[in-house]
């Protein structure tokens, strides 16, 4: 299916609710990478991450009747904040299922955006069950963090904006966790790029997407032990076929490579990015020869970190 | 004397060597401050601070003969890096006197910009003596970090750019240490603003500039014990008369107010600023009533921090 028209329409529709984030560059970062890098700063997006785009897009697709009943998601991370803030901006109630072990700072952020929190058990079936209960009671719509075409297109608008600003990119690299950002970016590059290839960076300690690309079916992580906390999840049946068709390659990186890339971006670019967000630049440094002399876009996915618990 | 024409000429001359830094805003930061705040992000300036502007301007005023012999400064901080990088960009040698106790990370930064380091004793007369020796030997020009009209005008180009982008600012707040940025900003507001008042924030633990404004003569700090390490120095006889004439008021803040403002900017704006740089926003929060409902510019002076030694 061709989503190009939907991309254009949806981007217009979400535009009043999101920031068109800046594109930043750094001479030293380019020098180390051996290419020209254009960072799309979604760490400066509302609520601090690209997830605001997908959440807003998914909510705006609902009918008026559906909207009035509100939306629900389960998340301990950025999607909880994204759905809360998007719902607040649009003026509908948001119900957020958060696991018992979610950090209190994340709960406070959701409350600040007027999200109604329900606490569930920590595993995924507890969380889904708690969400289903709310859906049954309130009749509200479930917003999936990554495996939903509206969410995928919403996340892809970051790459669309980047290509509008730098049209002749040879490549774009994103992180890959649940697959929404990667699939959306791959579609955006297909529709709005000029032979722009899409790559992803993934922690070797949570390399389910890499293995899925090898085997041709969705693989899972048993014990995803990585500092890149946004990338511990697995792909879904809606985003995986898009990734399989349009993504060039997934490049795996070690934990220390992630921390080193994160530190370099903090020190040299003076911007705050979360560990997941450093993975694409770490991937570029790992396979420099692939990008030598090229124009490369990197989606800096988010900047929500706990400043009292940094890896350096 | 009217420096307006010099501002315009000098700004053009330094333009190829500096970044026109972005202006950033944040809804939550505005809400907390009770006014509209426009942050001029000199933390994104080359070498990470506004000092690049003044150093470049001072060097470009030298005659060809003088230039060939190089430049010298003494500094343990941002000015050492600024003079090194500016001299490197312009293609002249830089001699940097650094005190024995300067952190090795600062020395490495100067070396990375091709600065020739001489180590001196730690007190100011040791440092000046070492610089004088180099001047006598090499015939090179001394660049003062703040008490020099070329440096003052160079630093003021940040406010000039800010006023070109947001012409109707009611006020601009800068930090005050040596006084170069504050004096330059005051002149820029006088020439390029529309009744734009200039304020400074200063740590109460190093409030020499506040006391100087009261007494009408340059006062000093005996033991300036503040986290805002860029603001421990005193005013000079060239910038003080400008400050006395054009600056509205100096607002003093406590150490914990500086750290809280710094943390808020890191967490909400996702940008890295050094402690000195948080002082103007802390000052605004301290005297909110003064700025209520107004359009306020803040010069974010720099982003060079040691990530392994943060106050939170």
């Amino acid at each position: 299916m061709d989503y190009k028209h939907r991309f254009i329409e949806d981007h217009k529709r979400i535009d009043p609710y999101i920031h068109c984030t800046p594109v930043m560059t750094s001479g030293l970062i380019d020098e180390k990478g051996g290419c020209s890098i254009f960072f799309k700063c979604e760490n400066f997006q509302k609520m601090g991450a690209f997830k605001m785009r997908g959440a807003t897009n998914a909510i705006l697709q609902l009918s008026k009747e559906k909207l009035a009943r509100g939306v629900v998601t389960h998340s301990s991370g950025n999607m909880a904040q994204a759905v809360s803030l998007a719902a607040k901006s649009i003026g509908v109630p948001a119900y957020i299922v958060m696991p018992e072990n979610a950090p209190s700072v994340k709960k406070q952020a959701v409350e600040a955006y007027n999200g109604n929190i329900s606490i569930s058990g920590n595993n995924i079936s507890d969380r889904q069950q708690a969400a289903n209960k709310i859906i049954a009671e309130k009749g509200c719509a479930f917003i999936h963090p990554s495996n939903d075409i509206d969410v995928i297109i919403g996340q892809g608008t970051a790459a669309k904006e980047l290509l509008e600003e730098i049209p002749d990119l040879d490549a774009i690299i994103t992180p890959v966790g649940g697959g929404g950002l990667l699939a959306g970016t791959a579609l955006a590059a297909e529709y709005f790029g000029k032979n722009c290839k899409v790559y992803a960076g993934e922690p070797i300690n949570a390399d389910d997407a890499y293995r899925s690309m090898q085997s041709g079916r969705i693989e899972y992580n048993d014990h995803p032990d990585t500092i890149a906390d946004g990338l511990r999840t697995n792909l879904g049946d809606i985003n995986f076929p898009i990734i399989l068709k349009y993504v060039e390659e997934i490049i795996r990186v070690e934990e220390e490579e992630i921390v080193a890339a994160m530190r370099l971006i903090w020190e040299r670019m003076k911007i705050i990015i979360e560990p997941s967000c450093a993975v694409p630049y770490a991937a570029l440094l790992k396979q420099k020869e692939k990008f030598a002399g090229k124009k490369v876009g990197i989606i800096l996915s988010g900047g929500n970190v706990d400043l009292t618990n940094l890896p350096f």
Side-chain angles (χ1 to χ4, degrees), chain A:
Chain A
M1 188 169 162
D2 187 339
Y3 295 105
K4 183 171 182 178
H5 185 69
R6 280 228 27 214
F7 251 97
I8 295 165
E9 289 300 304
D10 288 8
H11 196 188
K12 268 188 219 148
R13 198 180 297 129
I14 66 172
D15 188 64
Y17 302 97
I18 61 165
H19 288 314
C20 175
T21 52
V23 176
M24 289 182 79
T25 60
S26 156
L28 185 125
I29 294 272
D30 281 3
E31 209 175 286
K32 283 208 188 285
C35 58
S36 301
I37 307 175
F38 300 86
F39 290 98
K40 177 70 171 167
C41 292
E42 289 294 298
N43 53 330
F44 296 152
Q45 187 51 265
K46 289 187 180 181
M47 58 62 55
F50 72 92
K51 299 241 174 192
M52 184 65 186
R53 296 175 181 268
T56 305
N57 199 41
I59 296 174
L60 288 176
Q61 306 288 334
L62 299 171
S63 68
K64 268 192 184 165
E65 296 69 31
K66 262 286 199 201
L67 265 182
R69 285 181 232 122
V71 292
V72 62
T73 195
H74 58 79
S75 161
S76 59
N78 282 332
M79 196 64 180
Q81 293 180 54
V83 169
S84 304
L85 179 58
K88 184 186 175 204
S89 314
I90 295 165
V92 303
Y95 304 92
I96 312 294
V97 176
M98 298 188 85
E100 287 167 325
N101 64 1
S104 66
V105 58
K106 301 264 181 185
K107 290 180 197 159
Q108 287 160 16
V110 168
E111 281 163 359
Y113 296 138
N114 292 359
N116 302 291
I117 299 177
S118 309
I119 300 296
S120 76
N122 293 331
N123 69 49
I124 190 81
S125 69
D126 292 341
R127 290 158 60 166
Q128 188 63 55
Q129 215 173 342
N132 289 345
K133 191 161 161 267
I134 294 169
I135 294 169
E137 277 172 17
K138 316 262 183 195
C140 52
F142 182 69
I143 309 287
H144 193 282
S146 54
N147 198 38
D148 173 315
I149 193 64
D150 302 324
V151 170
I152 291 168
I153 289 172
Q155 320 300 33
T157 58
K160 178 172 176 283
E161 285 174 13
L162 176 58
L163 284 161
E164 282 160 1
E165 195 165 334
I166 318 286
D168 56 345
L169 287 178
D170 299 301
I172 301 180
I173 319 179
T174 77
V176 58
L181 177 64
L182 178 57
T185 302
L187 290 176
E190 177 70 15
Y191 302 141
F192 306 104
K194 295 174 186 155
N195 195 24
C196 173
K197 291 179 179 169
V198 172
Y199 295 80
E202 189 175 39
I204 206 157
N205 288 359
D207 67 347
D208 57 291
Y210 172 86
R211 287 182 284 110
S212 302
M213 291 278 274
Q214 305 293 314
S215 70
R217 61 167 195 242
I218 297 173
E219 304 283 349
Y220 299 85
N221 299 305
D222 284 337
H223 302 290
D225 181 20
T226 172
I227 189 179
D229 54 337
L231 310 184
R232 293 175 190 151
T233 46
N234 49 268
L235 303 177
D237 59 352
I238 296 173
N239 59 50
F240 182 49
I242 299 171
I243 291 169
L244 209 48
K245 182 166 178 191
Y246 293 112
V247 171
E248 191 72 13
E249 187 185 344
I250 293 177
I251 299 168
R252 295 177 301 168
V253 293
E254 305 283 352
E255 293 298 296
E256 51 274 33
E257 292 168 330
I258 299 171
V259 173
M262 178 174 167
R263 183 164 184 163
L264 206 58
I265 290 173
W266 281 51
E267 287 186 338
R268 291 300 170 156
M269 299 185 66
K270 313 297 180 193
I271 59 176
I272 291 174
I273 60 165
E274 50 193 63
S276 306
C277 194
V279 171
Y281 182 54
L284 184 149
L285 291 178
K286 186 139 196 178
Q287 301 211 1
K288 272 185 180 183
E289 64 295 346
K290 231 168 228 143
F291 304 99
K294 302 216 161 139
K295 292 180 86 168
V296 181
I298 284 182
I299 312 284
L300 288 180
S301 49
N304 292 331
V305 286
D306 178 357
L307 293 178
T308 60
N309 185 21
L310 297 176
F312 32 74

